[in-house]
Amino acid sequence: ARRYLMTTVGPLVKAGIAKIAKERPDDPIEAMAKFLEEQHPNPKVKPVIFVFGSHGSGKDVCCQRLEKDFGWKWIQAGDVLRSEVEAKSEDGLIIEDCIKNGKTVPSEIGIRLLQKTLQFVEGPGVLLDGFPRKIDQAGQFEKEVPGFRGALYFNVKKEVALERVLAQTKAYTSYNPTERFENRWNTFITHTTPMVDYYRGAGKLTEVNSSRHPEDVYADVRPHFAPIFK
């Protein structure tokens, strides 16, 4: 650890201080953080698996178990974007504006933030949930972020997913849970079906029948785990 600090971290910090002293940015702390992120030595590339599954598919439960049993980091893209909004960064303000106006967050921003998050992940690899939403995003991610290994798809019947969602919904809500489910389901099918077909055709998709009991689903995932995630 001492050698690493002296030979790697120390020189980076000194270089960052010199850069800040020369450029005199308005926010030196933010400037230093950005410099260190850009100059951080490339760690060992970790495998990344895209996770696809609708609301009520059971993917959350399965990802939590994979995280617990195998140490893989489950990252939800939406959480990464929300954290950036809460930080009120330049990217966060753009994301917030997109959300308010019903626009799609620019791919370059989403990929940049995910890349920054992945850079410091501990564990053997990453289960990336909620990204990509389009094939061009997938292609851009694969081009710019090393480590992509394939996609894991939790395929559930619509009626089963709805039954699960309604069972988890409180009796008194300010919205119609069935209507909300229908909207989310339609959005998922529209965005995800093309990508599922794409990765299936490329031989990079592992598809699991998640209409069954969670224990049966997880038992199905485990045999695929080693060859896909190794």
Side-chain angles (χ1 to χ4, degrees):
R2 178 182 176 83
R3 179 179 177 80
Y4 176 75
L5 288 172
M6 293 180 64
T7 62
T8 304
V9 178
L12 280 177
V13 172
K14 289 181 180 179
I17 292 174
K19 180 179 176 65
I20 290 172
K22 180 180 180 180
E23 298 180 356
R24 298 181 180 276
D26 294 334
D27 189 341
I29 295 179
E30 177 67 23
M32 173 63 84
K34 183 176 182 180
F35 174 80
L36 291 177
E37 289 170 359
E38 293 173 346
Q39 301 300 322
H40 189 276
N42 188 23
K44 180 180 179 180
V45 175
K46 297 183 182 298
V48 177
I49 300 295
F50 293 155
V51 178
F52 300 137
S54 69
H55 191 41
S57 67
K59 67 177 173 63
D60 291 10
V61 173
C62 199
C63 284
Q64 288 170 352
R65 293 190 64 176
L66 290 174
E67 189 172 42
K68 178 181 178 181
D69 293 347
F70 297 98
W72 280 64
K73 180 66 175 178
W74 175 37
I75 294 178
Q76 294 175 283
D79 290 344
V80 174
L81 298 182
R82 281 187 288 273
S83 294
E84 200 67 19
V85 171
E86 293 174 0
K88 299 188 183 300
S89 66
E90 183 177 343
D91 284 339
L93 295 176
I94 295 175
I95 294 170
E96 185 175 28
D97 182 70
C98 289
I99 294 174
K100 288 181 179 179
N101 293 285
K103 299 179 181 178
T104 301
V105 175
S107 295
E108 58 271 19
I109 291 180
I111 292 175
R112 181 168 63 248
L113 295 177
L114 288 172
Q115 190 171 24
K116 181 172 68 174
T117 300
L118 297 177
Q119 193 175 25
F120 301 100
V121 165
E122 297 182 358
V126 175
L127 299 166
L128 184 53
D129 187 1
F131 186 94
R133 301 293 298 275
K134 299 183 294 183
I135 292 178
D136 61 335
Q137 283 184 336
Q140 187 176 348
F141 182 94
E142 291 179 41
K143 182 179 179 180
E144 298 182 15
V145 184
F148 173 73
R149 293 294 181 85
L152 182 60
Y153 175 40
F154 292 87
N155 189 357
V156 64
K157 294 179 180 178
K158 181 178 179 180
E159 58 270 22
V160 174
L162 175 58
E163 182 180 354
R164 290 172 178 171
V165 170
L166 293 179
Q168 297 172 358
T169 303
K170 295 181 179 180
Y172 301 99
T173 61
S174 59
Y175 60 88
N176 184 321
T178 301
E179 182 178 341
R180 172 174 288 192
F181 171 83
E182 288 286 345
N183 292 335
R184 296 184 65 173
W185 177 269
N186 291 335
T187 298
F188 172 80
I189 293 299
T190 299
H191 287 291
T192 307
T193 299
M195 288 190 296
V196 167
D197 292 340
Y198 170 75
Y199 284 117
R200 183 186 289 119
K204 295 182 178 180
L205 182 77
T206 294
E207 186 170 349
V208 181
N209 175 8
S210 62
S211 295
R212 299 166 298 156
H213 189 279
E215 290 296 333
D216 296 327
V217 174
Y218 191 62
D220 240 16
V221 171
R222 287 182 65 97
H224 293 287
F225 191 86
I228 295 178
F229 298 78
K230 186 174 180 182

